[in-house]
Amino acid sequence: MITVKEAKELLFSKVKPSEPVRTSIAEAYGNILAEDIFAPIDLPIFDASSVDGYAITYHLPLTTYHFQVIGEIKAGDNAHFDLKPGQAVRIFTGAMVPVSSKEVVMQEQVERKDDSFIFNDLYKQGNYIRKQGSQLKKGELVLQKGTFLHPGAIGFLASMGISELSIYPKPEVSFIVTGNEIIKPGIPLAPGQIYESNSFALLAALKQMRINPIHMLNAMDTREDLDKQLQTAIHDSDVILLTGGISVGEYDLVYNALKDAGAETLFYKVAQRPGKPLWVGSLDNKWIFALPGNPAAVMACYYEYVYPAIRMMSGFSDPELKKMRMKLLREIKDSDQRAAFIRAKINDNGVMPEDKQDSGMMISFAGGDALIYIPKDVTYVAKEEMVEVHLLPFL
């Protein structure tokens, strides 16, 4: 049985970013940039007024100096005026400043009368011209490969006239939920049945990553049905998730189904709780994660292994959950020799382990926002000790 550290090192050494694709900037949000971006133009591309006011030819330190207003320039107009001394044009924010203008005066600093104005007592010389290239120069490296494309980055690219770019695409994902005993919420339960929650939790987690699964399949506890669903998922997906059927019971069919399909095992069974019967492998350059069936184990394995693997395929250089050292607010006792992912809640004073840590109990995930990682062979952690906390990406 492999350790958590060994399992992660092995997995993360094998997973590689997807091949880059071209996309429009309208569709690029949430992805990782797969190329360096160099400025195709100066920004601003011309001298522009940063205020509503008047463009003048030069400045004299006289508050009574008169200027004749000979025209107007709105944003988008061609600044064709050749201003002479004593002349000015009305100008608006973002408009092109005439080449002959040396200064823009704020409208609040002048007293306008008919087609002329004088400076009022508020006048002071200011820097109200955004000079061409003051933000960046043409040819300058402005965004590096590996940059996360958040709204500010998207807007910045658009401001340079860039309409498409190269990104690392997110993988196509499908999942298969196994078991005869599970039914969908909304249907009355028969004796021996339980409501199926794993598909809903995985769907929400994937949507949070801006991934819409290709297939959301259910397989009964027969090899015929499991093989059929597995072939469908493998054919259409880059990543396949299975829940349940990976342990050693008579109706745990997933391991042999994967083996017979030709999948190569990377590792099987991890010294951890929850989620010991975790299988990870590949087939035809597609990654397969056979997760346990218990809901809390599914989500712990998802966040600790599947989530970072998908982020690595998507080009992230920091794929794992964010980690912090925090003060433990209640002691942890455990005679189990495996590493533990303890569902927990963070507050201003530290991190509090949730009650009801059984692998079948999702209530501790519903109320928590973090996992406390307790290394293998650690059976006791005292209150107020510092522990490693993995932050769940709920927002």
Side-chain angles (χ1 to χ4, degrees):
M1 187 159 48
I2 198 169
T3 67
V4 170
K5 183 175 184 294
E6 291 167 340
K8 288 188 175 185
E9 287 179 349
L10 188 57
L11 175 61
F12 300 157
S13 70
K14 301 292 186 181
V15 176
K16 305 300 178 187
S18 304
E19 286 296 317
V21 298
R22 301 291 293 179
T23 190
S24 71
I25 62 167
E27 301 297 326
Y29 168 71
N31 292 287
I32 298 295
L33 187 61
E35 62 178 335
D36 290 336
I37 298 293
F38 296 88
I41 57 173
D42 290 338
L43 275 185
I45 197 169
F46 51 78
D47 289 357
S49 177
S50 62
V51 296
D52 294 339
Y54 298 88
I56 62 176
T57 50
Y58 59 91
H59 165 66
L60 291 176
L62 300 173
T63 59
T64 57
Y65 197 86
H66 284 76
F67 281 84
Q68 181 185 8
V69 180
I70 64 169
E72 179 180 276
I73 307 173
K74 303 183 299 297
D77 289 348
N78 183 2
H80 58 277
F81 294 94
D82 182 17
L83 296 177
K84 305 296 189 237
Q87 292 181 332
V89 290
R90 181 81 166 105
I91 197 167
F92 297 91
T93 303
M96 180 186 293
V97 176
V99 174
S100 55
S101 176
K102 305 301 181 185
E103 183 180 350
V104 170
V105 183
M106 293 177 65
Q107 63 184 14
E108 293 86 352
Q109 297 179 340
V110 306
E111 295 177 4
R112 177 79 182 261
K113 184 177 181 180
D114 298 328
D115 291 333
S116 66
F117 67 81
I118 61 172
F119 296 123
N120 62 30
D121 292 338
L122 298 174
Y123 174 71
K124 60 179 180 180
Q125 188 174 9
N127 183 18
Y128 301 120
I129 298 177
R130 297 179 182 135
K131 301 297 291 183
Q132 179 176 341
S134 59
Q135 183 176 174
L136 57 89
K137 300 289 188 183
K138 181 178 179 179
E140 182 180 345
L141 175 63
V142 291
L143 285 181
Q144 290 185 315
K145 178 180 178 179
T147 298
F148 176 71
L149 295 170
H150 53 69
I154 297 295
F156 178 52
L157 292 167
S159 74
M160 293 183 288
I162 293 173
S163 61
E164 65 175 34
L165 67 167
S166 181
I167 62 163
Y168 294 106
K170 293 180 171 61
E172 303 282 8
V173 182
S174 292
F175 58 77
I176 305 170
V177 177
T178 70
N180 290 345
E181 75 282 11
I182 56 176
I183 63 170
K184 297 298 183 185
I187 301 173
L189 290 172
Q193 293 182 326
I194 60 173
Y195 285 123
E196 189 275 303
S197 63
N198 288 335
S199 68
F200 295 93
L202 289 174
L203 176 61
L206 291 168
K207 282 190 171 183
Q208 188 180 42
M209 301 181 76
R210 298 179 63 80
I211 293 174
N212 291 310
I214 300 299
H215 296 293
M216 297 177 286
L217 306 170
N218 291 89
M220 303 299 288
D221 288 329
T222 68
R223 273 297 300 270
E224 180 181 9
D225 193 30
L226 178 58
D227 290 345
K228 176 184 176 182
Q229 308 302 341
L230 187 58
Q231 288 304 314
T232 297
I234 289 173
H235 183 269
D236 297 331
S237 314
D238 304 308
V239 175
I240 301 93
L241 312 178
L242 298 99
T243 70
I246 194 58
S247 193
V248 292
E250 185 175 346
Y251 293 99
D252 290 318
L253 308 175
V254 170
Y255 179 82
N256 286 329
L258 291 170
K259 180 180 177 181
D260 293 346
E264 180 180 348
T265 300
L266 185 66
F267 59 81
Y268 178 37
K269 296 185 180 178
V270 184
Q272 66 183 23
R273 64 173 184 85
K276 173 185 172 183
L278 170 66
W279 184 96
V280 177
S282 61
L283 176 63
D284 298 332
N285 296 317
K286 301 165 187 286
W287 282 101
I288 305 173
F289 297 82
L291 311 174
N294 282 320
V298 168
M299 296 314 295
C301 289
Y302 171 84
Y303 282 119
E304 294 292 338
Y305 298 94
V306 180
Y307 172 83
I310 289 177
R311 281 171 58 89
M312 291 184 75
M313 295 177 212
S314 304
F316 284 84
S317 59
D318 55 344
E320 293 192 77
L321 297 175
K322 291 184 178 179
K323 300 175 183 178
M324 297 178 63
R325 301 288 294 180
M326 301 187 73
K327 184 188 296 183
L328 184 64
L329 299 179
R330 185 175 69 201
E331 69 177 6
I332 294 175
K333 294 180 180 180
D334 186 8
S335 59
D336 199 312
Q337 300 298 306
R338 292 175 289 168
F341 298 108
I342 307 293
R343 281 91 77 193
K345 181 72 174 178
I346 295 171
N347 62 39
D348 291 341
N349 299 316
V351 61
M352 174 67 76
E354 291 281 301
D355 295 328
K356 301 180 180 179
Q357 292 287 327
D358 185 273
S359 62
M361 296 181 176
M362 278 293 280
I363 189 170
S364 49
F365 257 117
D369 54 14
L371 296 172
I372 300 171
Y373 176 64
I374 306 298
K376 185 176 181 290
D377 299 325
V378 175
T379 58
Y380 178 76
V381 185
K383 179 181 178 180
E384 297 195 348
E385 280 193 38
M386 301 299 289
V387 291
E388 180 176 309
V389 178
H390 300 180
L391 308 183
L392 297 177
F394 288 160
L395 297 179

